[in-house]
Amino acid sequence: MEEVIKELINKAALRIQSKYQFEFEENEIEVFLTGDDKLGDYTSNISFGLAKKISNSPFKIAEELILLINSFPETNYYFQKVEAANGFINFFLSFKVLEQEISEVFKSGLKYGQRKIFPRKTAVIDYSSPNIAKTFGIGHLRSTIIGQSIYNLYKYLGWKVIGDNHLGDWGTQFGKLIYQIENELLKGKNQKEKKKILESLTIDKLESLYVDFHRLAKTNPQLEEEARKWFKKLEEKDREAVRIWRTCVNVSLKEFNRIYKLLNVKFDVSLGESFYEDKMKKVLEELKDKKLLKESQNALIIDFEEKLPPALVLKSDKATTYFLRDLATLKYRLEKWKPSLIIYEVGIDQTLYFEQLFEAAKMLNWTNSAKLIHLGHGLIRWPWGKFSTRKGETIHLEEVLNISISKASEIIEKTETKRNLSEKEKNIIAKKIGISAIKYNILSYHYKSDIIFDWEKILNLKGNSGPYLQYTLVRCLSVLEKAKHLKFKNSLVFNPNHLESLICRQIAIFKPTLNLIQEKNSLNLLTDYVFKLASLYNLFYQKYPILKAESKEEILFRLKLTQATSQILKIVLKILGLDILTKM
Ligand code: ARG
């Protein structure tokens, strides 16, 4: 539709070009979704651009353009009306177009809006990426949920997507941890005892060992030296060091995988930082060859001059850094998958870090064909402050997820469709509602915004929430189920009332909305979109009879609308990673 509009505007603009004598090219025309049905479906600000060229009023130019646009015969076909408002030109889709779009939804089912692109482009999404020997935090939850949904979106839009969980499983901190485990837990123990101790480790224990190390090192600086030695041993594949490190990794992965299973999140690869251990040397050499390394206090840095602060590449004790591993990671990804795009879904506190990384990649001449994006997410807090219980105790992510599930159970008891559910079914559904509610809540904010977790909002059956959408879909499906004996053909009389036409219009902008979301990588636009569709449908459902509508024609039309709505809801829920329920 954007193309149609651009053509109409272009045609009109060319007609006034000789009158006003301005330079003009079609690619100057921009067309946007209005986001407000009173202002039409699409809008263009072209009058402002043209008015500026000829020092005239945009209002006047808009009026002139509209007069012309309305005189073109094709305008009538595509648009119910085209009007000017505050200098903008607003386009309202015609019933004909709406009808076609609804029919297309109907026909393409769950593939509506799905794309195939040739040649296929590849995107690598770096998401979740928690750190070994540390608990899986709420920040990593945000990255996991957003990353997975971005993954789903690109896939839907025809990309080849590689999801990579870049685990923090390497670095000098492991020297500290290994030292502490050796000295606190394993010293003087025989092999069998050691094995038992290692097997019984938990993430909490690992975390406290790490804290202990720092406490002890404050009064005994020698410990830092010991830790360095252990990290060196690890880098040299010393058996004892590797064994302890592997235990830390396994203990952590066990917990992480439990969370991923609960969240139903999957990765194509989980290479992790350790994977790049043997790939850093080459990068160092390349940096050296390209004269990008500088020595500073015995360490090696990349100097970005005025542009950015320098980045530490190799520490003074020759230990490798997170930055160097990220460079090696980037090189590997570029060579292995030849992506056009790499998205890093990592906290906003690493913004400067990624600016440095991307700048370094540019200096290395690596990224001519690939775009690098850091989607930096904001914080999640409770109303009373940082992520902890009301009393200030830290709270584990799994507990948060479980609270959501148990709150969801209460909701099920309240809904009108809960009848006939067995206890077992209720438990499964509670899990699906509780987890989806958290996902939706996170996705409904712009990634940069901070989120204040609020159970009322997360699980609000009447508001912009996961359960509300799941419930709307259940409602659609149960209407369709009751009507399944009716055969409805695709060709129907199309004469929607106001609310029905709003639903159709919302459905008709689904595809361009997906484009916009991809362009901005902002999934909150998708939750906004689908919340509006669901709200419109629910209003319609409350206001008009469907199966008891006056005429057969009307019944069939309303069913068709219900069907189209349910399909869009299903598609969106899938992209957002929410569970689709048939009962609730
Ligand atoms: N493990 C890191 C952290 O928790 C995030 C890694 C993000 N990905 C990357 N390629 N640096 O802070």
Side-chain angles (χ1 to χ4, degrees), residues 126-132 134 139-140 143 164-169 173 273 322-323 325-327 329-330 333 342-347 349-350 353-354 357 374:
D126 179 322
Y127 60 110
S128 195
S129 312
N131 298 318
I132 297 300
K134 296 213 179 119
H140 292 116
S143 168
D164 186 1
N165 187 2
H166 191 68
L167 294 167
D169 60 359
Q173 71 274 24
E273 292 182 47
Y322 177 50
F323 192 86
R325 280 188 287 283
D326 249 325
L327 280 177
T329 306
L330 178 54
R333 287 173 177 165
I342 303 179
I343 296 181
Y344 295 81
E345 207 322 326
V346 188
D349 52 334
Q350 293 188 32
Y353 173 82
F354 281 104
L357 185 69
H374 170 218

Side-chain angles (χ1 to χ4, degrees), residues 36-48:
D36 177 352
D37 46 64
K38 288 182 201 64
L39 299 176
D41 303 295
Y42 292 91
T43 187
S44 176
N45 57 3
I46 187 67
S47 333
F48 293 89

